[in-house]
Amino acid sequence: MNILQYHDNPRVRRALANIKEQGKIRVLFVCLGNICRSPAAEGLMKEAISDRNSSLQWTIDSAGTGNYHIGDLPDPRMRAHARRRGLTLDHHCRQIKPYDFDDFDLIIGMDASNISNLRRLAPNPEAEEKILPMSDFFGISTKYDYVPDPYYDGAEGFELVLDLLTDATVNLRDTAEAALDNSLA
Ligand code: 4NP
């Protein structure tokens, strides 16, 4: 259970205050393989901000800490479950690089292992400040405090990931838009 709601979370406030150019936010979602969770987060985030009259300009991408599937489309199971919700996932897997810590404002990991890998890869303390767990954006009603790896699970695991990520991406959008409006202060 996420004790702090995202809008009361000092880590989230600090990260959003660090957005370099006002009006722009660059978000990189990260998991291990970059074929299940993070490309789904990328697709859902893009969907969450589409057709909105937001003055915030978004850059959204995803990457993996591992190098097992570079160049691949997302896992066929994840693509099939997303497609049932009207979402096409067409990201090609890539591994996170040191320059990603310069190119993005928020680097969002799916679970504790992703977060510890990211902390190890961060080139400096400023880069480390950009790392956040996706669970910081979970609504209060979920009993999860991470996005579970669905790779070795069945259909329910993929559906759970899509449910958690749909909630979190909408909350991230709303929190970032509110931060831009200064209504979080
Ligand atoms: P993801 O899931 O980190 O959500 O993309 C995984 C995909 C592949 C592997 C592990 C996790 N793998 O070991 O190949």
Side-chain angles (χ1 to χ4, degrees), residues 30-40 63-69 74-75 77-78 93 110-111 114 147-152 158 161:
V30 177
C31 60
L32 173 61
N34 191 216
I35 55 166
C36 295
R37 293 166 292 174
S38 62
T65 56
N67 62 359
Y68 323 109
H69 300 281
D75 185 288
R77 296 166 295 173
M78 183 50 91
C93 172
M110 298 295 134
D111 63 24
N114 304 151
V147 184
D149 184 350
Y151 192 64
Y152 297 104
F158 288 88
V161 166

Side-chain angles (χ1 to χ4, degrees), residues 54-181:
S54 169
S55 44
L56 199 51
Q57 205 182 98
W58 291 80
T59 300
I60 300 159
D61 196 6
S62 65
T65 56
N67 62 359
Y68 323 109
H69 300 281
I70 291 172
D72 292 353
L73 280 169
D75 185 288
R77 296 166 295 173
M78 183 50 91
R79 291 201 339 258
H81 283 274
R83 206 177 306 116
R84 276 199 227 151
R85 298 181 184 213
L87 184 67
T88 301
L89 299 179
D90 55 7
H91 174 81
H92 287 268
C93 172
R94 72 176 184 88
Q95 191 173 28
I96 189 165
K97 298 286 179 236
Y99 55 73
D100 284 318
F101 287 90
D102 291 325
D103 289 351
F104 291 91
D105 305 301
L106 301 181
I107 316 259
I108 300 183
M110 298 295 134
D111 63 24
S113 166
N114 304 151
I115 296 291
S116 67
N117 286 331
L118 285 168
R119 291 218 172 99
R120 202 164 28 78
L121 294 166
N124 54 54
E126 291 74 33
E128 204 169 335
E129 282 270 292
K130 297 178 174 184
I131 301 167
L132 294 176
M134 194 56 160
S135 59
D136 275 359
F137 298 98
F138 286 178
I140 204 85
S141 61
T142 179
K143 64 186 171 68
Y144 285 87
D145 61 2
Y146 65 102
V147 184
D149 184 350
Y151 192 64
Y152 297 104
D153 288 343
E156 282 167 26
F158 288 88
E159 288 296 313
L160 171 64
V161 166
L162 288 167
D163 287 344
L164 291 172
L165 292 177
T166 299
D167 174 45
T169 49
V170 167
N171 291 336
L172 170 54
R173 177 199 69 197
D174 292 348
T175 308
E177 286 183 356
L180 186 70
D181 293 342

